[in-house]
Amino acid sequence: MAKLSVNDLNVAQRRVFVRVDYNVPMEERGGEMVITDATRIKETLQTLRLLIEKQAKIILAAHLGRPKGKREPTMSLRPVAGKLSEMLGRPVAFVDDCIGEKVDKAAAALKPGEILLLENVRYYNEEEANDAAFAQKLASIAEVYVNDAFGAAHRAHASTEGVPRGVASRAGQCAAGLLMERELKYLGHELDNPARPFVVILGGAKVSDKIKVIDRLLEKAGVILIGGAMAYTFQLALGQKVGKSLVEPDKTGLALSALEKAKARGAQFLLPVDNIIADAVNTGKLNKKGKPILEFRNPRVNAQPNIPDEAEGLDIGPATSARYAEIIHQAKTILWNGPMGVFEDPRFAAGTLAVARAVVHATEKNGAKSIIGGGDSVTALNQAGLGEKVTFMSTGGGASLEFLEGKVLPGVAALTEQSP
Ligand code: 3PG
Ligand code: MG
């Protein structure tokens, strides 16, 4: 059943609690926290402008990082209030708490069309515990609830699950925001009945992260293209040598069953035919997490099935890139999640870039719908300046994967059903 939309709400003069995902990357510069990518803020502007136009009193709630119940100053949402104000071209008030007297006062003082951002809800452990009393306090300032935080909708936390339950229990409406609706449309309905050929491109480090998505998409996709380190687990499963490549040796069974399922369904399941490899040399230094820092020397194409013992696979090779690009060019629907290699290092970015260009080409020249499933593939596309050239980029990481797996997201489930 479809959920109530922010479009359907009558919110004039009413206090609306809007959960947003402002968990944006930040960096410390000269003692200040600076937002390095404001995409998640930008993507909520449409919902906020609609609520302003409808003369709602807007209360924004969000989390930042994982402060684990402490007031961690580097995880304050204060810089987000400044950024949002700049992007909206109007004031955004900020209160340095999310419950209590200060918040009640600030909420009561709101005039129609005004916006208040609350401090990080994860400064309280009760947020992640979905504590009923805490949710009740958060909900007490709101008459209506809107969830535009797709990226956090897989969490059954107070601000995503407890608050809408509380608002609904006193017959208040709980609706999806416009970003939430776009996410559910592209990652949901659009993929339920995709125009064919439907090509799925999966990369990233781990088979275990993607196996359920593979399982579900095998029902629909004609072609699945595999890249990233997860490809090496498949190669290991097929009895090839993978050298020092990142693998999950205990997941080869899963990999084999995915290959068998693809065969049984008549879906093409393609693995790289060549790789970019390099010698992994221990520098003797440790990173922040205490792990040895490796240096990759002598990057080269490896065009045979086995990777030499001393080497590590770090990207798909040129023959694979060309083969994948050719298939992507024919697609009418594309879902891409996960980079093809270690694209942060320019020596191992060619495969991811080739896929990114092919996806854009199919979108522009073949009328394909291209849907990018969030996380690193979005970063890679933006880095290549191609982010505007695909049909849709998800703002979710974990949430988009869980949704693609077919799971019910608690933040969505808690919203009011549309009346038939
Ligand atoms: C994200 O960045 O993936 C979301 O904001 C959820 O954050 P979390 O993984 O810390 O719950
Ligand atoms: Mg996450």
Side-chain angles (χ1 to χ4, degrees):
M1 263 275 273
K3 295 296 183 177
L4 197 65
S5 161
V6 65
N7 274 315
D8 309 328
L9 300 176
N10 177 2
V11 288
Q13 323 283 328
R14 298 166 83 193
R15 282 191 306 272
V16 182
F17 185 106
V18 187
R19 178 53 158 106
V20 283
D21 188 350
Y22 288 167
N23 189 22
V24 290
M26 289 192 185
E27 214 173 79
E28 206 207 292
R29 283 184 208 151
E32 250 179 73
M33 297 307 288
V34 178
I35 297 163
T36 55
D37 180 347
T39 307
R40 281 179 164 174
I41 303 174
K42 180 174 145 236
E43 293 299 324
T44 65
L45 295 182
Q46 224 188 325
T47 298
L48 299 183
R49 290 201 178 107
L50 177 67
L51 288 169
I52 293 166
E53 195 182 298
K54 286 176 176 251
Q55 290 291 289
K57 301 171 177 177
I58 303 162
I59 302 158
L60 299 174
H63 75 278
L64 182 66
R66 294 176 176 171
K68 298 274 167 229
K70 291 207 187 73
R71 289 190 77 93
E72 172 55 59
T74 59
M75 295 179 192
S76 169
L77 281 165
R78 192 182 284 277
V80 173
K83 188 73 188 175
L84 176 60
S85 165
E86 186 190 306
M87 293 171 94
L88 267 176
R90 55 169 62 220
V92 172
F94 179 76
V95 56
D96 67 359
D97 211 334
C98 64
I99 52 167
E101 216 172 297
K102 257 190 275 185
V103 174
D104 296 347
K105 261 198 196 148
L110 279 174
K111 296 196 186 69
E114 288 186 349
I115 304 179
L116 170 70
L117 174 65
L118 308 180
E119 184 55 288
N120 194 345
V121 287
R122 287 194 188 168
Y123 278 0
Y124 291 85
N125 272 325
E126 289 89 338
E127 161 66 4
E128 292 189 58
N130 196 5
D131 178 82
F134 177 75
Q136 200 45 54
K137 279 183 208 160
L138 278 175
S140 66
I141 51 172
E143 295 156 275
V144 180
Y145 178 88
V146 171
N147 193 340
D148 218 13
F150 175 77
H154 58 321
R155 307 291 184 213
H157 293 170
S159 63
T160 57
E161 213 272 343
V163 174
R165 297 280 177 215
V167 169
S169 74
R170 42 184 158 83
Q173 292 177 306
C174 302
L178 300 176
L179 171 59
M180 177 69 90
E181 288 190 309
R182 282 200 299 280
E183 296 271 5
L184 299 178
K185 171 177 179 239
Y186 284 107
L187 297 175
H189 313 306
E190 291 285 351
L191 301 181
D192 283 342
N193 280 304
R196 288 167 204 286
F198 177 23
V199 176
V200 174
I201 312 153
L202 293 174
K206 291 182 180 168
V207 172
S208 51
D209 284 346
K210 305 282 155 78
I211 194 73
K212 287 192 194 132
V213 175
I214 293 176
D215 220 48
R216 179 139 184 280
L217 290 175
L218 266 176
E219 312 276 335
K220 308 256 180 206
V223 189
I224 297 197
L225 308 176
I226 301 287
M230 66 185 273
Y232 307 120
T233 298
F234 280 98
Q235 289 182 238
L236 188 67
L238 292 171
Q240 295 163 10
K241 288 192 174 170
V242 294
K244 287 186 179 153
S245 305
L246 202 61
V247 281
E248 294 172 284
D250 56 329
K251 296 295 181 305
T252 51
L254 278 183
L256 282 181
S257 62
L259 289 170
E260 269 157 32
K261 188 167 174 187
K263 202 185 241 173
R265 298 215 158 255
Q268 274 191 76
F269 198 100
L270 299 189
L271 296 170
V273 293
D274 61 349
N275 304 287
I276 304 295
I277 61 169
D279 301 324
V281 182
N282 197 333
T283 56
K285 291 179 212 148
L286 299 178
N287 69 12
K288 278 187 204 151
K289 288 180 180 162
K291 293 215 175 113
I293 298 179
L294 298 180
E295 210 174 82
F296 297 112
R297 293 193 193 148
N298 186 21
R300 56 202 185 271
V301 175
N302 182 62
Q304 47 127 343
N306 295 313
I307 293 174
D309 290 343
E310 74 286 357
E312 178 168 342
L314 294 153
D315 193 9
I316 58 174
T320 306
S321 289
R323 190 172 181 218
Y324 285 7
E326 204 176 304
I327 293 168
I328 295 165
H329 287 171
Q330 312 300 316
K332 284 289 183 192
T333 308
I334 299 164
L335 174 72
W336 178 22
N337 188 294
M340 298 291 104
V342 185
F343 71 96
E344 298 86 349
D345 183 330
R347 298 172 300 168
F348 312 117
T352 303
L353 263 177
V355 163
R357 285 197 204 100
V359 169
V360 168
H361 180 99
T363 313
E364 289 177 343
K365 300 275 155 41
N366 204 32
K369 273 191 186 142
S370 48
I371 298 163
I372 317 303
D376 287 338
S377 5
V378 169
T379 310
L381 262 177
N382 283 334
Q383 224 169 69
L386 298 172
E388 303 291 318
K389 299 190 169 177
V390 294
T391 310
F392 181 74
M393 289 196 300
S394 177
T395 55
S400 52
L401 276 182
E402 288 196 23
F403 189 59
L404 288 170
E405 286 171 10
K407 278 196 195 147
V408 173
L409 305 182
V412 177
L415 302 178
T416 314
E417 302 285 348
Q418 229 165 40
S419 25

